[in-house]
């Protein structure tokens, strides 16, 4: 612990509770902001014209009825919101060796597929209230299937929020944490901020009216900040990917994914050159990532670098919870460890080659751990075979972009698996004497706790040494996140379950039944049908009582309460949607670790030896681990020493000097 620490500590004390600190967190990159400002101008212009037309003709008028395609193109041009042109640089041979940082050109025919700052794709058409951009629930009093939609906060309180969670007996907390971590490699949907909407002077924190970009959540309770509703910012719109008579879908509001959808360790390296440069140790000439220059852990191991007083990593959500910081820190260390070994093996490699080769390995490890160790436990072995199956090589016809329903509903299944307690364990895997367990809300945006409270080890032991919460139909989303969640730009507690439901409506996701049909599952027509598929009869009754019509059930809620498939943590709908998405992320990725020509056979067999347990052994003070850290094991009887955990032999990366690097 350096002497700097104490000065820094005071600074933390003063600022950690201040809301302005939050503006440094979950921040979107300037590139993303520019894109969504243009999209806001474009969408707002169309909206204004549409509203005028509605007043005049006394009915809903769709944009193609109102404007010619030339008009639309002109508006897009003036808004600087033209479809992104395809760069014709994708044939360059240097794009064969390593991924671009933005994901561009992964697919040579469709360079934007899976790239950062492209729209979330639709697997089913959007269902806006006005057909184009007003979400369901926007026009109060508007009926859906003859009834009004229930308020997300009411649904949350009556069905989702739970004060207790039981533990399950198979998996460790790592299964939950890996879900959040890898979700942050796949999608990040940026939100508009109050100032983003051109010409709008409305402050979303102080209004209960639906005025772009504010879509406040009604429900007059304690979370409403005294004004009767909870603030909510709509997700930013995307610019159209195509304009022309056959692309009316592009005139509908679409949402952005600001990061690469590929499982490419963008969580570690970022998704823009600027961020990547910040994260690299360019002056060290060693291919490593930059580390924190003010603090290191008690054993001299590095922390993530700071920006202001928060950690900075490839994904801006890193500070949200201490468990995320812990996983990010492990990967930073693993990069630097591998880079060092590769430099020893290939002394002739340039720093750039060391960096890129290490990045390639780290990307592959993210893919292996996700697809081999994580996904089958989530959707079950049978669904894995049904929706994903064995690898058959790169398929350039597959679009690997994240789908809207995956990011906005299916992969948020994880919110029902959040533990209300963060366990911090000592070397005997008992509650730490100095750093006690914490209620989850005390771990939000608390990077200082890692530095001041024993480094990552107490949290890491808690992640592998405590059981994941069981998923019960009547104990769904922990009160720690329905009553005490902290998010960017909102200086009061918010409710994650309400945000998820409102987000689904904001994005115009079709209802639960439409998605069941998409997955070939039967339609729910009656209470008895619902009772068949939902784990708990009382929950099924409550749902129909609130929604009144089964077609209105929000997809996130419906998916969440389904009977779990055997040996899985999801019901049939989410297993289908997650399975389909994972398949596209694998088959549509030219750099998938198993794709031909990406790694040699020998390298592949080394990569396959990797595991989270090994990464913990190599990059922390923990020297006894479970053989499989995703499974809960008894300490010490079922733990093994690190010497028994297989590790990659990086000799497989040795290259003759003549073949050179970059
Ligand atoms: C302590 C744990 C967690 C917290 C505090 C948290 C919090 C949040 C918040 C605030 C959002 C944005 C909500 C909105 O306004 O729409 C979000 C989005 C999301 N979360 Fe979580 N989450 C946690 C765990 C998880 C887990 C375990 C998973 C999955 C296994 C997950 C998957 C997602 C996904 C897929 C999104 C949407 C990402 C995007 O496209 O922007 N989260 N989460
Ligand atoms: Ca990614």
């Amino acid at each position: 612990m350096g002497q700097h620490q104490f000065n820094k500590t005071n600074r933390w004390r003063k600022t950690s509770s201040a809301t302005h600190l939050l503006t440094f967190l979950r921040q979107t990159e300037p590139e993303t902001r520019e894109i969504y400002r243009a999209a806001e101008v474009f969408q707002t212009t169309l909206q204004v014209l549409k509203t005028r037309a509605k007043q005049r003709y006394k009915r809903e008028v769709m944009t193609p009825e109102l404007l010619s395609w030339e008009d639309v193109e002109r508006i897009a041009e003036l808004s600087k919101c033209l479809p992104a042109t395809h760069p014709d640089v994708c044939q360059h041979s240097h794009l064969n060796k390593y991924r671009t940082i933005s994901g561009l050109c992964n697919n040579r025919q469709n360079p934007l597929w899976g790239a950062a700052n492209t729209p979330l794709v639709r697997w089913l058409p959007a269902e806006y209230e006005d057909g184009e951009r007003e979400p369901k629930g926007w026009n109060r009093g508007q009926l859906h299937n003859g009834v009004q939609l229930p308020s997300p906060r009411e649904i949350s309180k009556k069905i989702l929020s739970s004060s207790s969670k039981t533990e399950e007996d198979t998996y460790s907390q790592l299964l939950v944490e890996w879900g959040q971590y890898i979700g942050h490699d796949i999608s990040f949907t940026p939100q508009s901020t109050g100032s983003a909407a051109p010409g709008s002077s409305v402050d979303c924190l102080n209004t209960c009216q639906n005025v772009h970009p504010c879509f406040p959540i009604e429900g007059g309770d304690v979370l409403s900040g005294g004004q009767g509703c909870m603030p909510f910012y709509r997700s930013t719109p995307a610019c159209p990917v195509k304009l022309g008579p056959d692309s009316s879908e592009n005139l509908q509001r679409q949402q952005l994914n600001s990061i690469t959808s590929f499982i490419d360790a963008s969580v570690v390296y970022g998704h823009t050159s600027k961020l990547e440069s910040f994260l690299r140790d360019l002056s060290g000439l060693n291919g490593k990532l930059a580390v924190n220059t003010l603090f290191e852990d008690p054993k001299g191991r590095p922390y993530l670098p700071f920006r202001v007083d928060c950690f900075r990593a490839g994904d801006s959500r890193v500070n949200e919870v201490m468990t995320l910081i812990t996983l990010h820190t492990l990967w930073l260390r693993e990069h630097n460890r591998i880079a060092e070994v590769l430099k020893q093996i290939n002394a002739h490699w340039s720093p750039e080659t060391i960096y890129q080769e290490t990045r390639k390995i780290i990307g592959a490890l993210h893919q292996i751990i996700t697809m081999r160790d994580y996904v089958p436990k989530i959707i079950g072995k049978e669904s894995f075979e049904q929706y994903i199956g064995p690898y058959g090589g790169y398929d350039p016809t597959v679009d690997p972009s994240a789908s809207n329903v995956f990011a906005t509903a299916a992969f948020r299944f994880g919110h029902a698996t959040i533990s209300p307690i963060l366990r911090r364990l000592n070397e005997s895997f008992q509650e730490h004497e100095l750093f006690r367990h914490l209620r989850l809300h005390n771990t939000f945006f608390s990077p200082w706790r890692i530095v001041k409270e024993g480094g990552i080890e107490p949290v890491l032991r808690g992640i592998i040494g405590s059981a994941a919460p069981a998923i019960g139909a009547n104990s769904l989303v922990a009160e720690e996140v329905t009553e005490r969640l902290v998010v960017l730009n909102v200086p009061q507690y918010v409710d994650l379950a309400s945000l998820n439901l409102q987000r689904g409506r904001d994005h115009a996701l079709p209802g639960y039944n439409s998605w069941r049909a998409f997955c070939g599952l039967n339609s729910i027509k009656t209470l008895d049908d619902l009772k068949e598929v939902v784990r708990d009869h009382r929950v099924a009754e409550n749902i129909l009582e609130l929604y009144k019509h089964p077609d209105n059930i929000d997809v996130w809620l419906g998916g969440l309460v389904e009977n779990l498939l055997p040996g899985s943590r999801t019901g049939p709908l989410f297993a289908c949607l997650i399975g389909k998405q994972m398949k596209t992320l694998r088959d549509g990725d030219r750099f998938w670790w198993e794709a031909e020509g990406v790694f040699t056979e020998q390298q592949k067999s080394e990569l396959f030896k990797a595991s989270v347990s090994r990464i913990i052994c190599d990059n922390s003070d923990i020297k006894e681990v479970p053989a499989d850290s995703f499974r809960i094991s008894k300490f010490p009887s079922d733990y093994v020493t690190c010497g028994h955990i297989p590790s990659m032999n990086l000799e497989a990366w040795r290259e003759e000097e003549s073949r050179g690097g970059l």
Side-chain angles (χ1 to χ4, degrees), residues 623-638:
K623 295 299 164 225
E624 282 171 285
V625 288
D628 177 355
S629 287
F630 283 102
R631 289 181 193 276
I632 192 75
S633 310
K634 260 207 169 65
F635 181 87
S637 54
D638 296 341

Side-chain angles (χ1 to χ4, degrees), residues 114 182 184-187 259-267 270-271:
I182 209 63
H184 291 182
D185 203 323
I186 300 172
S187 75
I259 63 170
T260 60
S261 65
F262 303 107
I263 301 176
D264 57 355
S266 51
V267 254
H271 57 276

Side-chain angles (χ1 to χ4, degrees), residues 89 97-98 182 193 231 309 325 378-379 480 495 506 556 565 650:
V89 293
K97 211 161 177 192
Y98 306 116
I182 209 63
T193 54
D309 287 342
I325 297 175
I378 297 302
I379 65 173
E480 287 294 302
D495 166 9
D506 172 21
W556 178 66
L565 291 169
L650 294 170

Side-chain angles (χ1 to χ4, degrees), residues 289-476:
L289 290 172
V291 300
N292 200 299
T293 50
L294 295 177
F295 305 113
E296 53 188 25
D297 87 351
K299 294 284 169 74
R301 289 194 184 86
Y303 290 130
L304 295 157
F306 273 153
R307 194 172 79 175
V308 193
D309 287 342
C310 290
F311 289 125
R312 188 90 163 118
D315 185 84
S316 63
R317 293 163 286 191
V318 50
N319 295 286
E320 198 158 272
V321 276
M322 287 164 72
T323 42
L324 264 184
I325 297 175
T326 300
L327 291 181
H328 276 277
T329 306
L330 271 185
W331 285 107
L332 163 87
R333 294 176 185 176
E334 179 69 352
H335 175 101
N336 285 355
R337 186 190 74 81
I338 292 177
E340 202 157 306
V341 180
L342 288 182
K343 191 177 162 71
Q344 278 163 19
I345 293 175
N346 293 297
H348 59 286
W349 276 4
S350 67
E352 180 67 14
T353 301
I354 297 170
Y355 169 78
Q356 292 295 356
E357 288 292 326
T358 310
R359 173 171 169 247
K360 193 174 152 192
I361 293 173
I362 297 283
L365 299 182
H366 278 64
Q367 297 188 333
I368 292 170
I369 292 165
T370 303
M371 207 57 102
R372 179 193 67 190
D373 301 339
Y374 175 74
V375 175
K377 297 181 176 70
I378 297 302
I379 65 173
K381 284 212 171 70
E382 264 178 42
S383 297
F384 191 94
E385 271 157 37
Q386 182 181 352
Y387 296 112
I388 303 177
Y391 185 58
Y394 170 54
D395 180 351
T397 65
V398 170
D399 184 352
S401 305
S403 71
N404 207 321
V405 70
F406 174 84
T408 315
F411 211 59
R412 298 191 188 207
F413 83 95
H415 290 165
T417 69
I418 295 173
S419 167
I421 305 281
L422 174 91
R423 294 207 159 73
R424 296 194 288 182
L425 307 180
N426 64 18
E427 287 173 10
S428 315
F429 282 78
Q430 299 299 315
E431 180 165 5
H432 205 289
E433 300 73 12
L434 298 175
F435 314 122
R436 317 298 294 190
H437 300 339
L438 291 169
R439 287 174 69 190
L440 189 66
H441 75 274
N442 290 319
T443 78
F444 298 147
F445 303 115
S446 308
W448 61 274
R449 282 196 193 270
I450 295 285
V451 178
K452 281 193 68 199
E453 301 187 349
I456 63 169
E457 280 77 5
V459 179
L460 199 46
R461 287 189 206 102
I463 290 175
I464 60 174
S466 39
I471 308 182
N474 46 17
S475 80
L476 288 156

Side-chain angles (χ1 to χ4, degrees), residues 75 95 134 266 277 375 428 431 481 495 505 526 572 622 625:
I75 294 171
L95 293 168
E134 290 174 355
S266 51
S277 304
V375 175
S428 315
E431 180 165 5
V481 288
D495 166 9
R505 296 179 187 181
T526 63
I622 300 173
V625 288

Side-chain angles (χ1 to χ4, degrees), residues 122-249:
R122 299 257 178 206
W123 288 348
L124 282 178
E127 290 182 357
Y128 285 106
E129 222 159 54
D130 67 339
E132 289 181 327
R133 57 193 62 81
E134 290 174 355
K136 288 185 205 171
W138 183 262
N139 301 290
R140 296 197 172 124
Q142 179 144 341
L143 303 183
H144 295 260
N145 297 300
V147 290
Q148 258 191 310
L149 295 180
S151 143
R153 178 65 177 158
E154 199 184 349
I155 302 163
S156 168
K157 290 201 87 162
K158 291 210 171 124
I159 299 171
L160 291 158
S161 178
S162 49
S163 55
S164 65
K165 300 264 317 158
T166 50
E167 291 187 346
E168 70 134 85
D169 52 11
T170 312
Y171 299 122
S172 70
Q173 188 60 32
L174 177 63
L175 196 67
V176 178
E177 309 309 341
W178 188 263
Q180 185 178 27
Y181 176 75
I182 209 63
H184 291 182
D185 203 323
I186 300 172
S187 75
F188 183 14
T189 314
Q191 294 164 20
S192 301
T193 54
S195 59
S200 154
S201 58
V202 177
D203 179 354
C204 295
L205 297 178
N206 295 318
T207 183
C208 283
Q209 286 187 0
N210 293 327
V211 193
H212 293 284
C214 323
F215 184 28
I217 300 167
E218 290 179 298
D221 72 349
V222 48
L223 284 193
S224 64
Q227 69 204 2
C229 53
M230 190 189 306
F232 179 94
Y233 295 90
R234 294 195 69 186
S235 299
T236 62
C239 287
V241 283
K242 207 166 113 193
L243 281 176
D246 56 342
S247 55
S248 352
E249 184 183 318

